[in-house]
Amino acid sequence: MTESFRRSGEYENPQGHGHHQPAYPQQQASASPVNPVNPVNPVNPEWPPPPPYQPHAPSNAGKRARGPMALLAAVAIVAAAIGGGTAYGIQELTGNDIAASTTATSATSVVPASQKGTVAGVAKAVSPSIVEVSASSNAGESTGSGVIITKGGEIITNNHVVADASSVKVTTSTGKKYTARVVGTDSKKDLALIKLVNASGLKAATLGDSGNVKVGDEVVAIGSPEGLTGTVTSGIVSALNRDVTVATGGGQQQQQGGGSDWPFEFGGQQFNGDTGSSTTTYKAIQTDASLNPGNSGGALIDMNGNIIGINSAMYSAAQSSSDAGSVGLGFAIPINTVKSDLSTLRAGGSDS
């Protein structure tokens, strides 16, 4: 529309540069005014006869008010559409467990306002969603960590924590123990989904957006290093998009009674033991938060309490894997990688 309705009830001609015409042009002074007795013969047959009265300002104001109201209605419709899309996204992420809070932006905070931005606040808010994972296989017993993502007991962990496991046990932050089954594994991304048997009412973690993570951001790590359940450490994001290569099989987690063995490869060198011939490489978040064997599968968390990564590897300068310990070079799988892989893991994983 090239004309605009003005407050005074006039049309503005954009080509007239400020010249205004009455709302009904046929009412202009003219050599041939309208014959009120014969409205069939108006001055300009292209325009309908004018009303018997001039438009009043209140009527014009009412017309103007409908503009913003219509805009608000449109916004409301768009918001409803967005809301529907969000609900669908949550359903896709959590299955039928819609109540579990598993998606968030980095601006969403699950930490109480009085403790926002503190390690203590993050630990208190998120620790109930972090578990210890104990797996048994022909190679022996091992311990790792996991993150609860639904109230019904779906848990994300590393593939190398549960690889080839014949049985899996899980201990929550309250000390309650569950039996778990492996739902799906993806050795290429070093991810696994396990499900607790007969579990309900658990506290699901909030999965953030690793795409918003920046170098220098403060982070908290929670896991079970050396079998010490619920250990909290903190640091910063040291780097992004590090290429880290890990073994696709088991043996990277804490081996009970046999020393630690958490091998991975970085920069063409192998650390903390031999990665073997079967490996996978992924882009990782690097952190100086202390990670040790047993942190595998645990959470890397931003200061709003959102999970931004799954801890998966560490560097140690120790010559022997049994003496491996944190020197402030840990690596986590970005949570966006986890979210994009959930539907595959729920379907049995890429290794099925």
Side-chain angles (χ1 to χ4, degrees):
M1 180 179 294
T2 59
E3 298 173 321
S4 60
F5 195 68
R6 298 180 60 83
R7 184 180 298 272
S8 62
E10 299 174 342
Y11 281 95
E12 179 181 10
N13 184 349
Q15 298 178 351
H17 304 292
H19 176 69
H20 305 299
Q21 297 178 342
Y24 295 91
Q26 65 270 32
Q27 292 181 344
Q28 300 180 79
S30 173
S32 301
V34 174
N35 183 354
V37 179
N38 183 16
V40 178
N41 185 27
V43 171
N44 185 351
E46 294 181 359
W47 290 88
Y53 56 86
Q54 286 280 13
H56 298 292
S59 173
N60 298 338
K63 289 184 179 181
R64 288 180 61 83
R66 283 196 294 270
M69 290 175 66
L71 177 60
L72 290 176
V75 172
I77 292 171
V78 172
I82 293 174
T86 302
Y88 176 82
I90 293 175
Q91 184 174 12
E92 178 66 19
L93 195 61
T94 64
N96 295 324
D97 198 355
I98 305 299
S101 177
T102 55
T103 57
T105 65
S106 58
T108 302
S109 180
V110 298
V111 179
S114 61
Q115 295 182 301
K116 187 174 181 180
T118 67
V119 174
V122 172
K124 182 177 181 180
V126 184
S127 288
S129 302
I130 311 302
V131 299
E132 179 180 296
V133 179
S134 300
S136 299
S137 67
N138 293 333
E141 301 288 327
S142 61
T143 301
S145 305
V147 178
I148 300 171
I149 62 169
T150 65
K151 295 193 298 183
E154 283 188 322
I155 294 172
I156 285 290
T157 187
N158 286 138
N159 172 70
H160 71 253
V161 171
V162 296
D164 305 321
S166 55
S167 68
V168 178
K169 303 291 183 181
V170 169
T171 304
T172 67
S173 63
T174 62
K176 189 171 183 178
K177 298 183 182 298
Y178 291 91
T179 297
R181 63 182 179 86
V182 177
V183 175
T185 59
D186 187 343
S187 60
K188 296 300 181 184
K189 296 180 180 178
D190 196 19
L191 293 171
L193 179 69
I194 63 177
K195 178 72 164 60
L196 303 185
V197 178
N198 298 325
S200 63
L202 299 176
K203 183 174 182 180
T206 300
L207 307 187
D209 183 357
S210 53
N212 291 331
V213 174
K214 301 181 294 294
V215 173
D217 284 352
E218 293 181 272
V219 289
V220 174
I222 304 178
S224 299
E226 309 293 345
L228 301 173
T229 305
T231 296
V232 177
T233 58
S234 66
I236 64 168
V237 172
S238 303
L240 300 171
N241 299 316
R242 293 295 200 199
D243 286 321
V244 172
T245 302
V246 298
T248 56
Q252 298 181 53
Q253 62 274 31
Q254 171 71 19
Q255 299 288 337
Q256 295 182 355
S260 58
D261 189 20
W262 196 4
F264 81 105
E265 181 179 312
F266 178 73
Q269 301 182 59
Q270 294 181 346
F271 303 103
N272 311 339
D274 188 357
T275 55
S277 58
S278 181
T279 61
T280 185
T281 301
Y282 55 82
K283 299 289 185 180
I285 299 171
Q286 181 183 326
T287 178
D288 68 351
S290 179
L291 301 180
N292 287 283
N295 272 116
S296 284
L300 189 66
I301 313 155
D302 68 18
M303 299 309 290
N304 288 319
N306 302 313
I307 312 299
I308 59 168
I310 299 298
N311 299 321
S312 58
M314 54 161 278
Y315 164 79
S316 176
Q319 296 297 316
S320 170
S321 63
S322 61
D323 297 326
S326 174
V327 294
L329 293 174
F331 303 92
I333 300 168
I335 202 63
N336 287 1
T337 300
V338 177
K339 291 191 288 187
S340 68
D341 204 32
L342 268 179
S343 58
T344 300
L345 292 171
R346 286 193 171 113
S350 63
D351 298 323
S352 60

